[in-house]
């Protein structure tokens, strides 16, 4: 069974500082990895995804993530955090696309990011 | 980008009543729709997968008679929480899946906060 672990429940960073959110996954085949951001009362917005190819993936809002198969990790990074980045971030793993059954995602428990001004 | 509209965003109901939540794909036809629930400080848990015109597939532990899913068209899926109880209070999120030229994309609704008194 697939699973996702986000070890950090809360993280606080100063505005302008760099950010790294950790994500470890367990999946039997080639994973399809996602990072989503959720603002209060909002749905999830896709930041980026990894399917194949270059292991460093660029996303929206200046975020990037690196897939490391040897470490089963897909950590999210941003060089300089903005106050508007404060939100909850979810890592997710799914089956490879076009499986015919839809992409059922397994989510981590999320990391709440607080940005200090 | 594609938009998924979820309605209502917030609902309060009395114990024993039923509540219907709608999920619409506004500018595309969704191959599959998924329903998740999210408890405070926890991850999204997949409840069921629905394909247009067929019965929903429920995840283990989810009562299909309690959480009725109807997917009558390629742009609309509904989740009805029947005979709601306080323990059903949660944040419910839908997502819609569409297959593009090279991969599958998921778009999330903004969620529905259900409070059962």
């Amino acid at each position: 069974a697939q699973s996702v672990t986000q070890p950090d429940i809360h993280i606080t960073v100063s505005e302008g500082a760099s950010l790294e959110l950790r994500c470890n996954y367990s999946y039997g085949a080639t994973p399809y990895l996602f990072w989503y951001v959720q603002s209060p009362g909002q749905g999830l917005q896709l930041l980026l995804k990894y399917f194949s190819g270059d292991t460093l993936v660029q996303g929206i809002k200046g975020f990037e993530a690196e897939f490391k198969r040897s470490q089963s990790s897909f950590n999210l990074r941003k060089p300089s955090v903005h106050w508007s980045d404060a939100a909850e971030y979810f890592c997710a793993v799914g089956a490879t696309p076009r499986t015919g059954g839809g992409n059922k995602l397994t989510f981590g428990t999320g990391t709440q990011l607080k940005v200090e001004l | 980008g594609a938009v998924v509209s979820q309605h209502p965003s917030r609902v309060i109901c009395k114990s024993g009543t039923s509540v219907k939540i709608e999920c619409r794909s506004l500018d595309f036809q969704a191959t599959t729709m998924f329903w998740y629930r999210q408890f405070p400080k926890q991850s999204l848990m997949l409840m069921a997968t629905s394909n247009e015109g067929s019965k929903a597939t429920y995840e283990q532990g989810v009562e299909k008679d309690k959480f009725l899913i109807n997917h009558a068209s390629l742009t609309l899926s509904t989740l009805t929480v029947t005979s709601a109880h306080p323990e059903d209070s949660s944040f419910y999120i839908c997502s819609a899946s569409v297959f593009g030229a090279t991969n599958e994309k998921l778009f999330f609704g903004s969620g529905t906060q259900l409070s059962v008194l």
Side-chain angles (χ1 to χ4, degrees), chain B residues 88-103:
Chain B
D88 298 325
S89 298
S90 187
F91 192 61
Y92 294 85
I93 301 179
C94 70
S95 70
S97 165
V98 59
F99 284 106
T102 57
N103 61 18

Side-chain angles (χ1 to χ4, degrees), chain A residues 44-46, chain B residues 1-5 24-30 96-98 105-109:
Chain A
L44 279 77
Q45 181 181 20
L46 179 66
Chain B
V3 175
V4 173
S5 174
R24 293 180 184 273
S25 57
L26 295 185
D27 50 3
F28 65 100
Q29 293 184 329
S97 165
V98 59
K105 295 183 179 180
L106 283 175
F107 301 97
F108 284 82

